[in-house]
Amino acid sequence: MAEISSDVIRGYNDIIILYLLLSKPSYGYEISKEIKTLSEGKYIIKETTLYSAFTRMEKNGFIESFVDEDMAGGKKRTYYRITETGREHYRSKREEWTLTKEVIEKFIADEGALV
Amino acid sequence: MAEISSDVIRGYNDIIILYLLLSKPSYGYEISKEIKTLSEGKYIIKETTLYSAFTRMEKNGFIESFVDEDMAGGKKRTYYRITETGREHYRSKREEWTLTKEVIEKFIADEGALV
DNA sequence: TATATTTACTACGACAGACGTACTACGACA
DNA sequence: TGTCGTAGTACGTCTGTCGTAGTAAATATA
């Protein structure tokens, strides 16, 4: 299975995480599983990347954290919910994606040009 | 005109530069102009980014440099030509792009999900 | 002829996001 | 008893990009 390198995905982790928070709050472990599932195993986010993205995005006001105190066994779990600012950020990143895609495709040669 | 942020394009500068070297050798200033033109002004690569990419890619064996000695006026101009390794790199990056595109699109919500 | 702009770089340091490695801690299961 | 899955945290490193600045020849403009 081909994998995606970090430099290529860089700049999209925000959009990926925010997408999963659009519908419901979630937490690190769950999000990492969902990224794996939704990408059909093609992208597996590193734990450190994910958790540092949470910290960064909370600082930027894109997400808010809250701790689930009621978990059976008293285990801590930090949830994140997307803010309105986060939704706006998602929208603008989505537009930027469209643009970026168009630009990059101009630099993709078809097989013939590669010989 | 919307612009593309560096984090989003990061990882694609190699592919962009190599694409322009597929057909003929070129040099920094020319490549930067061609990127601007081909992207219809949507992406303007920073000089420092471009020249450091040259250095890196030559170290990696993707390109080779040679100096044009015959220029009128004696001005130095460093040309780069793509190597076979570079062509292979381009091909694999192109495949990675296809994959990355598919993955990211799974995390792009349509307007309805954004409310 | 003097000045500004374009061409064509180079040097150097800073920054941010991603990564590697390591560690903690609880519960379930065999 | 030990391993696996869950759910993180800490800390330092690396890499590509960027900001700022400077050099210098060629060409255009006044």
Side-chain angles (χ1 to χ4, degrees), chain A residues 107, chain B residues 16-17 20-39 43 45 47 50-51 54 66 68 71 76-81:
Chain A
F107 298 91
Chain B
I16 286 171
I17 296 163
L20 295 168
L21 295 176
L22 283 177
S23 52
K24 64 171 201 322
S26 188
Y27 57 97
Y29 195 76
E30 189 177 51
I31 284 182
S32 77
K33 295 292 154 202
E34 285 174 352
I35 290 174
K36 192 183 170 182
T37 308
L38 242 171
S39 73
Y43 182 45
I45 195 166
E47 282 172 80
L50 178 59
Y51 290 109
F54 280 147
F66 59 100
D68 185 3
M71 277 190 73
K76 190 177 76 168
R77 188 189 279 167
T78 307
Y79 277 84
Y80 293 92
R81 96 164 53 84

Side-chain angles (χ1 to χ4, degrees), chain B residues 3 9 14-15 29 35 38 43 53 71-72 75 83-84 86-87 89 93-94 96-98 104-105:
Chain B
E3 339 143 12
I9 210 83
D14 282 21
I15 222 178
Y29 195 76
I35 290 174
L38 242 171
Y43 182 45
M71 277 190 73
K75 266 197 84 174
T83 63
E84 190 43 50
R87 282 180 199 274
H89 181 66
K93 276 284 167 190
R94 193 181 57 160
E96 198 179 331
W97 160 250
T98 309
I104 291 173
E105 302 256 300

Side-chain angles (χ1 to χ4, degrees), chain A residues 7 27-29 33 47-48 51 75-78:
Chain A
D7 269 340
Y27 58 97
Y29 195 77
K33 294 293 153 198
E47 285 174 76
T48 43
Y51 290 109
K75 275 194 75 175
K76 193 176 74 169
R77 188 190 281 166
T78 307

